[in-house]
Amino acid sequence: MADTGLSDEERAELERLRAEKAERERAERDAAERAELERLRRQSAEDERERAQRQRDEQTRERGRRLMEPDEDDLRMPLGQKVVILAVVVLAAVWLLATVLG
């Protein structure tokens, strides 16, 4: 019967090759995990930038909306302001009539 067992030298070489293979696989896993970590960090940073931009946009829209809405003060003009506006309108009308008729 033929002896199919490995010699000590062959067994040592087999163990060394298995260890090298395991080291390569571990290095590949580590590299893949680092790549995934970097991808997740970039995605997280991008998500944070987008969230901050949405928040700034919302604040800008809210500020614009508040500026465009009339305040209670806008609806009630002081008497002096009404008098000044009326005087300017009357002067403009008098000037227009003088220009057209004269």
Side-chain angles (χ1 to χ4, degrees), residues 1 5-6 16-17 21 23 25-26 39 42-43 50-51 57 64 67 73 77 91 100:
M1 206 166 173
L6 298 175
R16 182 182 55 80
L17 291 173
K21 180 181 176 187
E23 181 61 33
E25 289 174 349
R26 185 173 35 254
R39 182 185 61 80
R42 282 191 308 272
Q43 183 179 1
E50 289 175 2
R51 185 198 63 75
D57 291 347
L67 287 173
D73 294 341
M77 284 189 276
L91 284 174
V100 171

Side-chain angles (χ1 to χ4, degrees), residues 9-63:
E9 188 177 294
E10 291 172 327
R11 193 174 317 276
E13 182 181 1
L14 179 61
E15 290 300 319
R16 182 182 55 80
L17 291 173
R18 284 181 180 164
E20 288 175 5
K21 180 181 176 187
E23 181 61 33
R24 277 194 312 274
E25 289 174 349
R26 185 173 35 254
E28 289 172 1
R29 272 194 318 273
D30 290 347
E33 287 175 353
R34 277 192 299 278
E36 182 180 10
L37 177 63
E38 288 301 315
R39 182 185 61 80
L40 290 173
R41 283 180 179 165
R42 282 191 308 272
Q43 183 179 1
S44 176
E46 183 178 324
D47 290 346
E48 180 60 28
R49 280 191 303 274
E50 289 175 2
R51 185 198 63 75
Q53 182 63 42
R54 280 193 309 273
Q55 185 178 6
R56 283 191 302 273
D57 291 347
E58 180 60 33
Q59 289 172 346
T60 302
R61 277 192 298 276
E62 179 63 25
R63 197 170 29 250

